[in-house]
Amino acid sequence: MPAARNLDVSIYRSRLIVALMLFALSAVLATSLILKMDRGFDFTDEAFYLMLAQRPTEYEFVLGLFSYAIRPLYLLAGESVSAFNRLGAVILAGLGASLGWAVLERLRLSWREPDAILIVGVALLAPFFYYTYWLPTPSYNWLVLVAGWILALGLILLQSRPTVSAFIVALAIAIALFTRPLNVASYCAIYIAGVLCAFADYRSRLAQLGRTVLFGFGLVAALAASLPLKTIVRQINGYLTVFGGSHPNPFSMRDQLLDFFTEGWIWWVSGVLLLVCMLARLYERPAIGKYGALVAFSAIVLLGLSLLQRRFDPSNCHVFSVLGGGGFAMLSIACRRDASLKWIALLALIGLIPWAATLGSAGRVCFQVALFPGLSLMVLVMATVLVLPRSFGPTIVAFLGIYLAYRATAAGLASPYRLATSVDRQTISTEIGPRGALKLDERTREFVQTLQRDVASRGFCRDDLAIDLSGEVPGAVFAIGGRMPVFPWIFAGYPSSHRLAGEYLKMVGPERLRRAWLIMGTSVHSLKTEEWKGLGLDFASRSLVDNLAHPVDGSAVKLYAPIVERGPC
C-alpha cells in the first residue's frame, strides 16, 4: 500500500540521517583526540615507554619485549613524541575501521545501509576507550589492544576467508609475543575455541590450525632474523639476576580474579546465561531458550537504566559490565532468532578478548579492563543488528556506545594520569625529547625548562649519563636529553624497590656512576638519600645544581652534577 510504503521510506531516511550524524560524531571525536596527543608529559610511565623505544638494546635487563615492537613506530614518527602518540591512535582507528568493514562483508550489508554506517562509525571510535586514563604513548597495553583487535578480525573472517584469517591471527599472536605470556596463552585459547566452533569436521579444523601455525612460524622466523637475540637473552638473564623468576610487583592472580568476579559479576553471569541459551538451541530446548531470552531482555533494560543512576567511573567495571554484559545478553536473545549459532559463538569469543587482555597484569582487573571494552561495544552492536535488523535498535546502541566512549575519554582528558592539570590546560609549547615539542602546563614547562637550562650551563651534553634515583621522575632524564644506564626506571614504592636499587648500583658500576648526573626526590614513595648512602652511593663528590618542586605533587626534586672534567659537546 502507498501509505505503508511511504512510512517505510520515511523511517529508512530517518535512520540513514541519524546514522550519518553518528558516523560524523565518531569521526569528529576521534580526530579531536588525535589532535590533542601533543599535550601533557607523564614523568613516570610515559617516559619509561619513550626511553625504552629510544634505546631498547642498550639496557642490561628488560621488563618484557614490548620496546622492540614499538621502536619501529618511534623511528617512523621521527622520534617526535606527539607524532609517535598520533601514529598509535591512527593505527587503532584503522584497525577499528577494518573490523567494521569485515563485519559488513560477513553480514552481507551494503555500505550504504544505515546499519552498515553505524557499525563502521562505532568501530572507528571504539578502540579509543584505550585513552580512558590518557596515557597516549604506545606501550605494552597498546600492543595487547592491537593484538586483540587483530585477533577479533581473524575470528570474523574465520568462516568466509580461512586462509586470510589464519595469517591475521598469526600476526596477532606474533604481536602478543612482545607483551605478557598469559596474553599469548589466552589469545591462542580463544582462537582454538573459535576454530572448533567455526568448522564442523576435524579435517577442516586441523587444516585451519595448520595454516595458522605455518604462518606463525614464518612470522616468528622473520622476527628472529630482525631482532638482536643475543642482546635479548642477555637482558633476560639480567632480569633473572635482579628479580629472579618473580614479577617486580608481586600479585595474586587468584585474588585479582575473585575481586573481578565480585565487582564485575554482571559480565560473567551474562556469559553463563549466553552459554545456557546456546546449549538450549543446540539441543532443541525452546522453553529454556525462551526464558533465557526474557532474562536477557530484562538484563539489557536494567543495564541501560543503570547508566542514569551511577556516577561515571571507568575503573569500577561498570562500563565494561554494561557493554560486555549487554553484548552477551543480546547474543542470548539472538539465539532465539535465525542467526547462525556458529556466528553467535564467534562473537561470544570476541567478547572474551577484553578480559583476556588483562591477564598477567599486576593491576586490578577492573582498572585494566577499562582500556579494552571497545571490542565489547562491537559485540553489542553486532548482536543488536542480528536481533533488530533495519530498525532503530542498532541506532540506540550505537549512540550509547559513542556516548560511553566520549565519557571515558572525557574522564581521561579531565583527570589525566599523573599530570599536573587537565589536558585542556596543557597549552604551552615546550621542547622535549630529541625532536619536536609537547604542549605542557605552566608548572611542568617551568620544571622542564629549568632542568634543561641548568644542566646546559654546567656542561651537560645530549646523551650524557643521568640517573633518576627517586623512582618518581625518570622522565626528567628524557626531558634533558640524557641516557639512563642499566634500566630506565628504578621503580619506587614496591616491595622489590630496595633490591632493585642495590642491583642497579652493582650493574651501573663505579666508572659510569662517577660520570652520571643524579636526580633525587622527596615524595612519600621515593627512595631516600639515607637508603642510597646505605647502599654505598657517595653524594659528597657531587654538587647540588637544582632544588625544584615536582610539578604534580610539589615535593622537592634535587639535581646533582658530577665533579669531573667535561670537554665541549
Side-chain angles (χ1 to χ4, degrees), residues 354-421:
W355 170 68
T358 69
L359 297 179
S361 172
R364 290 175 53 248
V365 173
C366 283
F367 183 83
Q368 291 289 321
V369 81
L371 301 170
F372 309 115
L375 282 172
S376 297
L377 171 58
M378 290 306 301
V379 170
L380 176 57
V381 172
M382 289 184 282
T384 306
V385 171
L386 292 178
V387 175
L388 301 169
R390 297 177 178 82
S391 71
F392 279 102
T395 306
I396 295 171
V397 170
F399 175 79
L400 170 67
I402 293 170
Y403 166 75
L404 288 177
Y406 164 75
R407 290 293 304 273
T409 53
L413 295 174
S415 301
Y417 184 77
R418 291 179 177 171
L419 297 191
T421 64

Side-chain angles (χ1 to χ4, degrees), residues 59 74 94 108 131 165 226 243 270 354 366 383 386 417 452 460-461:
Y59 298 110
Y74 182 70
R108 295 186 175 88
Y131 301 104
S165 171
S226 62
F243 298 110
S270 299
C366 283
L386 292 178
Y417 184 77
Q452 292 173 340
F460 182 89
C461 301

Side-chain angles (χ1 to χ4, degrees), residues 33-50:
L33 290 169
I34 292 172
L35 291 176
K36 290 178 178 177
M37 287 180 184
D38 63 345
R39 300 190 180 196
F41 179 69
D42 164 40
F43 287 92
T44 55
D45 295 64
E46 185 175 7
F48 176 61
Y49 307 144
L50 289 169

Side-chain angles (χ1 to χ4, degrees), residues 167-192:
F167 176 78
I168 288 174
V169 171
L171 177 61
I173 301 303
I175 293 173
L177 288 173
F178 291 93
T179 61
R180 298 178 287 254
L182 281 174
N183 296 137
V184 178
S186 59
Y187 283 5
C188 286
I190 288 172
Y191 177 64
I192 292 171

Side-chain angles (χ1 to χ4, degrees), residues 118-143:
L118 289 172
I119 289 172
V120 176
V122 172
L124 179 70
L125 184 64
F128 284 73
F129 275 99
Y130 177 74
Y131 301 104
T132 292
Y133 303 118
W134 198 254
L135 268 172
T137 300
S139 65
Y140 56 88
N141 278 322
W142 182 86
L143 287 173

